[in-house]
């Protein structure tokens, strides 16, 4: 079993060649797991990402590469330069104003130091150096943190927000780590071992919601693994429903446990032999070719039902079992042979297509038709003899209750055919509304972690999964292309290696240097105080609360003074709490304090940045060793529908014909799938028509065989248009089964009609056809129960198609065959 979805499409396709070229240029970007690290505060997110990267790099047995594209020493040092000049000026001004507090906190990175800083702020209010309004946001933030800690709720605090005076966004509280796991394609979930290790390591580091951090996985590898996991999630329910439906309908069809047993044994034997033939010729299964199982079961059971029902009908008039089986073979064998040959030719028509997954499916299903026919006329009769199948319990094997319908159709033949023609015309008018959903994400389980995470990223302008990549021949061409791409109306931003060289560096560095002259040396040369005891913390809490009340009483009344009194109450309650509560409160403010102080120290060391000074691992993600440059193009809209993605892709391709990426690959693969099915449909229709013409030798008989297939197909597609049920990568695989059954049913009826059968609806053939369709509909309609959207859509399409097939069988076919054959 090969679970590599990249091998389902032909490598000769142009879009696949572009994809291969990009993957070869940047192999470290292939088969990625994206680790989404979200923190309650920027400090928690930074600390979590840093520790997780270090831990994952130690597991070289599971991870080929581990990268943090927006983090690491370079961004810690040069981060301020990527802000706007106004933001750099505001940030450095606030750092300079807070210099004294920073030095004090650096010397005492404990709750005691924080309380001293709060006392200093209150005294500054009393002396008039600052106003209550200026420090109100800080007072509120401290109050909420200490109140939560005292109440036993998760408590988190951000010093960066305090110093920057700006609410944090996802850019500060979210980091994306790109991990290239070691994959095992022999396993159903190739990346499961690596994903499990990431979760285990995260838990061991305390990176969980209780500590203000969430770790989620998405990206190509987890999406693929979750796909298989969701398919297996309710497999017992689906398989159970299938088995019960299959056995139940089979028993209703033949009313004999022995015959049911013979059919089941024949079907399972054929399934094993078909799998063996497929492995012998192709050597593997892929994620599409394993669908030969429902194809074989649906059509193999049909062959067995046709033979068994006919044998039961002959058992009513023949003296022995053997004679009944001989007569059944003589009457139905030719039709079975023609059906197997026609359906097999239809399946083999997929071989020349570019959809490798379906081509291999066609080969296996084609072999399966040969096996199914052989077993239905060799193994099944032998089993029926060995099991001593009894005469049928019912006096008539056919559907005598349909006799009135037979008479109605015969009397109103022209009206029924006119209605069928009108229905075909209406269905053809609706065909332009049938759509193919080429986005593979829409057939995945939307509740899986990888999908919920990806949906969250889709709204993130920096990490949308619908970005495109362009490979330029040189940095100069990359700059020229970037300017042209940035002007497109569908594009929000263009990123290249040059994007990592900050603008206005001279002015920004002057501001940083001025702040460093005031702060840097003081932060480096401090005398650290010993950690305080719990008793000392209680005393400091009481004194700070008193200072806050004094400052609040002295200042103006209002919300700012109320915020200061609120903090004083929070400190009183914290002082009265148990020591472990104070320990939690201390961690809530001191852990982010240490992270922030280290970041400030690093940022004050910022220096000039050029392409030549960028970190090698960053350069490797944007430029190859031979000088080719990568350009990333991001869409400007939150829309992810097929129409927008097609327009976005087309606009980028018009400027950069070698572009590749998820939107292009999805739409192009969808086009390739549709083209493959249309191509195979034409090939199979020609092959079947030629085969029928050779065997039946009458153009009218060929037309009578194919017309109901075309009608039921049109009605199925029209229903999809009316119900807005799009075709997709999953349910389109059901079309060969529906086509095969339609061809088989029509061959049975035309063969019986040519043999002189007049009352079609009450014949044993109708019983066999109805129960064959019901067996397939109920057994594979159970796919509708699956929680996997793609599988469920396949079940819906099967039920719709087989419903129309039964209607055409009951009304249209008898009307077409109401007049006796010529000659």
């Amino acid at each position: 079993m090969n679970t590599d979805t990249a091998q389902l499409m032909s490598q000769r396709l142009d879009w696949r060649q572009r994809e291969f070229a990009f993957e070869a240029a940047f192999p470290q970007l292939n088969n990625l797991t994206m680790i989404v690290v979200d923190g309650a505060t920027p400090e928690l997110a930074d600390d979590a990402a840093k520790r997780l990267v270090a831990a994952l790099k130690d597991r070289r047995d599971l991870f080929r590469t581990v990268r943090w594209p927006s983090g690491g020493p370079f961004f810690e040092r040069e981060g301020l330069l990527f802000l706007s000049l106004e933001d750099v000026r505001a940030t450095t001004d606030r750092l300079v104003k807070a210099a004294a507090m920073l030095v004090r906190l650096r010397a005492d990175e404990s709750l005691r130091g924080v309380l001293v800083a709060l006392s200093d702020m209150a005294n500054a209010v009393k002396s008039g150096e600052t106003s209550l309004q200026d420090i109100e946001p800080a007072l509120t933030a401290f109050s909420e943190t200490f109140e939560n800690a005292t109440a036993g709720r998760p408590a988190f605090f951000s010093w960066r927000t305090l110093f920057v005076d700006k609410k944090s966004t996802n850019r500060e509280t979210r980091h994306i780590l790109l991990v290239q796991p070691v994959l095992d394609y022999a396993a159903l979930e190739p990346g499961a071992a690596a994903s499990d290790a990431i979760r285990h390591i995260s838990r061991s580091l305390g990176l969980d919601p209780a500590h203000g951090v969430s770790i989620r996985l998405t990206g190509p590898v987890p999406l693929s693994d979750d796909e298989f996991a969701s398919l297996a999630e309710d497999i017992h329910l689906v398989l159970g429903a299938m088995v019960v439906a299959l056995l139940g309908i089979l028993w209703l069809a033949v009313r004999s446990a022995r015959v049911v047993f013979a059919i089941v044994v024949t079907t399972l034997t054929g399934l094993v032999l078909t799998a063996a033939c497929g492995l012998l010729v192709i050597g593997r299964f892929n994620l599409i070719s394993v669908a030969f199982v429902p194809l074989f079961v649906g059509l193999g059971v049909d062959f067995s039902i046709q033979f068994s029902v006919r044998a039961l009908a002959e058992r009513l008039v023949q003296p022995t079992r053997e004679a009944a089986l001989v007569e059944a073979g003589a009457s139905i064998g030719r039709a079975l042979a023609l059906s197997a040959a026609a359906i097999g030719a239809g399946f083999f028509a997929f071989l020349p297509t570019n959809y490798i997954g379906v081509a291999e499916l066609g080969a296996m299903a084609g072999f399966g038709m040969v096996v199914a026919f052989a077993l239905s006329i060799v193994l099944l009769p032998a089993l029926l003899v060995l099991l001593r199948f009894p005469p049928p319990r019912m006096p008539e094997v056919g559907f005598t209750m349909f006799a009135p319908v037979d008479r109605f159709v015969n009397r109103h033949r022209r009206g029924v055919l006119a209605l069928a023609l009108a229905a075909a015309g209406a269905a053809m008018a609706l065909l332009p509304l049938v759509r193919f959903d080429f986005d593979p994400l829409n057939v995945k389980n939307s509740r899986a972690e990888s999908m919920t995470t990806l949906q969250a990223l889709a709204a993130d302008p920096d990490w949308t999964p619908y970005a495109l990549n362009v490979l330029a021949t040189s940095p100069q061409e990359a700059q020229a292309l970037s300017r042209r791409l940035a002007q497109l109306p569908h594009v929000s931003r263009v990123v290249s290696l040059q994007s990592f060289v900050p603008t206005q560096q001279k002015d920004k560095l002057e501001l940083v240097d001025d702040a460093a002259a005031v702060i840097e040396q003081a932060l480096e040369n401090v005398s650290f105080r010993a950690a305080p005891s719990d008793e000392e913390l209680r005393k400091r809490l009481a004194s700070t609360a008193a200072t806050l009340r004094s400052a609040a009483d002295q200042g103006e009344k209002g919300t700012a003074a109320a915020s200061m009194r609120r903090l004083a109450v929070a400190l009183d309650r914290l002082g009265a709490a148990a020591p472990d509560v104070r320990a939690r409160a201390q961690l809530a403010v001191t852990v982010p304090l240490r992270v922030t102080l280290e970041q400030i120290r690093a940022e004050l060391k910022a220096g000039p940045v050029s392409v030549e000074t960028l970190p090698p691992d960053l350069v490797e993600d944007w430029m190859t060793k031979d000088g080719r440059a990568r350009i990333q193009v991001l869409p400007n809209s939150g829309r992810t529908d097929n129409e927008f993605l097609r327009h976005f892709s087309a606009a980028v391709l018009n400027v950069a014909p070698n572009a590749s990426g998820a939107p292009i690959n999805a739409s192009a693969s969808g086009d390739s799938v549709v083209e493959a099915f249309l191509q195979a449909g034409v090939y199979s229709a020609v092959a079947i028509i030629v085969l029928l013409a050779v065997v039946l030798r009458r153009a009218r008989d060929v037309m009578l065989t194919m017309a109901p297939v075309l009608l039921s197909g049109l009605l199925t597609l029209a229903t999809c248009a009316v119900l807005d049920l799009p075709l997709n990568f999953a349910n389109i695989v059901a079309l060969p089964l529906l086509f095969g059954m339609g061809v088989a049913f029509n061959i049975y009826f035309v063969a019986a009609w040519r043999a002189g059968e007049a009352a079609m609806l009450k014949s044993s053939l109708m019983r066999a056809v109805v129960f064959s369709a019901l067996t397939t509909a109920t057994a594979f309609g159970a796919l509708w129960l699956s929680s996997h959207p793609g599988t469920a859509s396949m079940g819906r399409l099967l039920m719709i198609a087989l419903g129309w097939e039964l209607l055409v069988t009951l009304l249209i076919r008898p009307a077409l065959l109401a007049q006796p054959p010529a000659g």
Side-chain angles (χ1 to χ4, degrees):
M1 179 72 182
N2 188 343
T3 57
D4 187 0
T5 56
Q7 298 187 27
L8 296 179
M9 287 289 178
S10 171
Q11 299 181 6
R12 300 189 304 269
L13 295 167
D14 178 63
W15 64 272
R16 288 281 281 154
Q17 293 294 321
R18 299 198 305 269
E19 185 180 24
F20 288 145
F22 181 79
E23 290 176 352
F26 299 99
Q28 71 273 25
L29 301 180
N30 304 336
N31 296 322
L32 291 176
T33 292
M34 300 174 67
I35 306 176
V36 181
V37 181
D38 285 306
T41 65
E43 294 91 333
L44 289 176
D46 291 346
D47 180 63
K50 182 184 294 187
R51 289 193 290 139
L52 186 55
V53 166
L56 295 179
K57 285 184 175 180
D58 291 336
R59 294 299 307 272
R60 298 185 180 274
D61 58 320
L62 289 173
F63 308 107
R64 300 182 190 277
T65 61
V66 178
R67 300 192 317 287
W68 183 6
S70 61
F74 170 76
F75 286 100
E76 288 179 0
R77 185 179 64 255
E78 313 295 350
L80 277 177
L81 302 183
F82 290 93
L83 301 177
S84 67
L85 182 61
E86 292 72 18
D87 285 342
V88 174
R89 180 176 288 107
T91 300
T92 52
D93 284 348
R94 292 183 69 86
L95 289 176
V96 169
K97 291 178 181 178
M101 182 176 69
L102 289 172
V103 172
R104 189 184 294 273
L105 290 170
R106 171 69 173 156
D108 188 1
E109 297 176 355
S110 69
L111 179 58
R112 177 185 57 200
V114 173
L115 294 172
V116 170
L118 286 174
S119 296
D120 290 345
M121 292 167 63
N123 289 326
V125 171
K126 292 172 66 175
S127 64
E129 297 176 28
T130 188
S131 67
L132 273 174
Q133 288 73 20
D134 290 339
I135 65 172
E136 183 180 5
L139 298 175
T140 301
F142 278 113
S143 297
E144 291 175 351
T145 301
F146 292 140
E147 287 168 355
N148 288 335
T150 304
R153 296 188 296 267
F156 311 112
F157 185 81
S158 174
W159 291 90
R160 183 183 303 178
T161 303
L162 186 66
F163 290 133
V164 176
D165 192 25
K166 185 184 295 183
K167 188 176 181 180
S168 299
T169 65
N170 279 343
R171 286 191 174 181
E172 289 83 40
T173 60
R174 173 177 292 167
H175 293 295
I176 311 293
L177 311 183
L178 301 181
V179 173
Q180 197 172 43
V182 175
L183 301 178
D184 178 13
Y185 284 118
L188 189 61
E189 299 176 40
S195 296
D196 290 343
I198 293 170
R199 295 185 178 99
H200 174 74
I201 291 171
S202 299
R203 288 192 297 270
S204 68
L205 294 174
L207 306 182
D208 53 45
H211 295 89
V213 178
S214 70
I215 303 294
R216 295 177 292 169
L217 307 183
T218 189
V221 174
L223 283 167
S224 179
D225 288 347
D226 283 349
E227 177 92 347
F228 305 134
S230 65
L231 286 170
E233 180 180 329
D234 44 19
I235 189 67
H236 300 296
L237 172 64
V238 174
L239 284 180
M242 278 186 174
V243 171
V244 170
L246 185 65
L247 295 178
I249 300 296
L250 279 177
W251 187 86
L252 289 174
V254 297
R255 300 293 181 92
S256 169
R258 298 180 191 181
V259 178
V260 169
F261 180 76
I263 293 175
V264 170
V265 171
T266 301
T267 303
L268 293 179
T269 303
L271 196 59
V272 172
L273 291 175
T274 301
C277 289
L279 290 173
L280 183 64
V281 174
I282 300 173
R284 64 176 185 185
F285 294 124
N286 62 54
L287 295 175
I288 301 296
S289 65
V290 293
F292 87 92
V293 175
L295 290 179
F296 180 88
V297 171
L299 294 166
V301 166
D302 171 59
F303 289 177
S304 294
I305 288 178
Q306 294 294 335
F307 187 92
S308 299
V309 170
R310 187 65 186 182
L312 289 172
E314 294 296 337
R315 188 71 178 89
L316 290 172
V317 296
Q318 298 296 330
T320 64
R321 297 183 184 88
E322 291 76 6
L325 292 172
V326 169
E327 188 59 33
S331 60
I332 196 68
R334 189 167 181 267
L336 288 178
L338 183 56
S339 295
I343 299 168
F347 286 144
F348 283 127
F350 282 94
L351 286 175
T353 67
N354 289 318
Y355 196 1
I356 301 299
V358 171
E360 294 179 357
L361 169 64
M364 291 188 177
F367 290 131
M369 293 305 95
V370 177
V371 171
F373 169 69
L375 294 182
S376 66
I377 63 171
V378 176
L379 178 61
L380 180 59
L383 288 172
L384 291 175
V385 171
L386 289 174
L387 294 171
R388 299 178 179 275
F389 77 100
R393 297 179 182 180
M394 51 276 198
E396 292 286 343
V397 175
F399 283 137
T400 54
M401 61 181 176
F402 284 156
V405 181
D406 249 335
R407 293 191 293 270
F408 173 84
V409 171
N410 284 329
R411 284 197 306 267
H412 302 89
R413 176 175 178 270
R414 292 182 181 276
V416 171
L417 294 179
L419 180 63
L421 188 62
M428 291 183 68
L430 290 171
L431 287 184
L433 300 180
V434 178
R435 60 189 180 91
F436 186 89
D437 186 355
F438 64 75
D439 191 346
L441 298 179
N442 291 338
V443 297
K444 295 183 183 294
N445 185 353
S446 60
R447 299 191 305 274
E449 179 191 75
S450 58
M451 272 302 297
T452 58
T453 306
L454 193 70
Q455 289 163 357
L457 291 182
D460 190 326
D462 295 323
W463 289 102
T464 171
Y466 298 105
L468 294 176
N469 289 298
V470 175
L471 196 57
T473 57
S474 66
Q476 293 74 23
E477 184 188 26
Q479 291 188 35
L481 280 174
S482 296
R483 287 191 292 270
R484 292 178 60 193
L485 290 167
Q487 295 174 0
L488 295 176
H490 296 85
V491 173
S492 67
R493 194 159 58 95
V494 177
V495 183
S496 66
L497 188 62
Q498 193 65 35
S499 305
F500 296 93
V501 178
T503 59
Q504 298 180 288
Q505 289 191 51
K506 183 177 181 297
D507 295 336
K508 294 175 183 177
L509 285 171
E510 287 180 358
L511 293 172
V512 173
D513 291 341
D514 290 344
V518 177
I519 305 171
E520 186 176 14
Q521 197 62 34
L523 289 177
E524 298 295 337
N525 301 320
V526 295
S527 298
F528 296 100
R529 296 187 62 183
S533 64
D534 184 65
E535 181 61 28
E536 186 176 357
L537 285 179
R538 292 182 61 223
K539 291 180 179 179
R540 176 56 67 176
L541 285 165
S543 63
T544 302
T547 303
L548 291 171
R549 286 192 177 90
S550 175
D553 293 340
Q554 180 176 319
E556 298 179 1
K557 294 182 179 181
T559 57
S563 295
M564 185 166 280
R565 293 189 182 91
R566 176 188 173 187
L567 178 56
V569 172
L571 296 181
D572 286 339
R573 291 175 179 172
L574 187 58
D580 65 306
V581 175
R582 283 186 290 279
R584 285 201 304 272
Q586 178 164 246
L587 288 175
V589 294
T590 58
V591 169
L593 174 61
R594 296 186 188 101
V595 174
T596 300
L597 290 174
E598 288 302 314
Q599 289 174 338
I600 290 173
R601 293 173 64 201
E603 289 171 343
L604 293 177
K605 293 181 173 63
V609 178
S610 65
V611 170
E612 291 72 25
T613 62
L614 292 174
D617 57 343
L618 176 61
V619 175
E620 287 176 2
D621 284 349
W622 295 92
M623 184 176 292
T624 64
K625 292 181 179 179
D626 61 5
R628 288 175 295 166
R630 170 192 172 202
I631 306 170
Q632 188 181 56
V633 188
L634 297 104
N636 69 351
S637 170
R639 290 174 56 188
T640 59
D641 57 278
N642 292 345
E643 181 184 4
F644 173 79
L645 294 178
R646 278 191 182 275
H647 289 159
F648 170 58
S649 301
V652 174
L653 284 170
N654 189 48
V655 175
N658 69 339
S660 63
I664 291 175
N665 296 349
S667 61
S669 60
D671 292 341
S672 298
V673 169
V674 173
E675 181 183 345
F677 274 87
L678 290 176
Q679 181 183 353
V682 172
Y683 291 162
S684 60
V686 171
I688 291 172
I689 289 172
V690 170
L691 179 62
L692 292 175
V694 170
V695 175
L696 300 179
R697 300 189 178 184
R698 292 176 186 166
R700 180 191 178 197
D701 293 358
V702 174
M703 184 199 71
L704 292 175
T705 303
M706 296 302 295
V709 179
L710 179 62
L711 178 59
S712 59
L714 287 173
L715 292 173
T716 297
L717 293 176
T719 304
C720 289
V722 171
L723 299 180
D724 194 27
L725 175 63
L727 298 178
N728 55 51
F729 290 98
N731 63 22
I732 198 171
V733 178
L735 295 182
L737 171 60
L738 305 173
F739 180 73
M741 294 197 72
V743 170
F745 289 171
N746 283 293
I747 289 175
Y748 301 149
F749 277 103
V750 170
W753 173 69
R754 284 164 63 102
E757 181 68 61
M760 291 289 181
L761 292 182
K762 65 178 184 178
S763 67
S764 61
L765 173 60
M766 178 56 72
R767 181 184 189 87
V769 166
V770 168
F771 279 106
S772 177
L774 287 176
T775 300
T776 304
T778 54
F780 297 102
L783 296 174
W784 203 335
L785 300 175
S786 175
S787 60
H788 183 266
T791 304
S793 71
M794 186 187 298
R796 286 194 292 272
L797 183 59
L798 279 165
M799 292 291 283
I800 291 169
L802 288 168
W804 284 119
E805 186 64 39
L806 281 175
L807 183 64
V808 170
T809 296
L810 292 173
L811 292 178
I812 310 304
R813 283 194 186 97
L816 285 170
L817 303 176
Q819 292 185 346

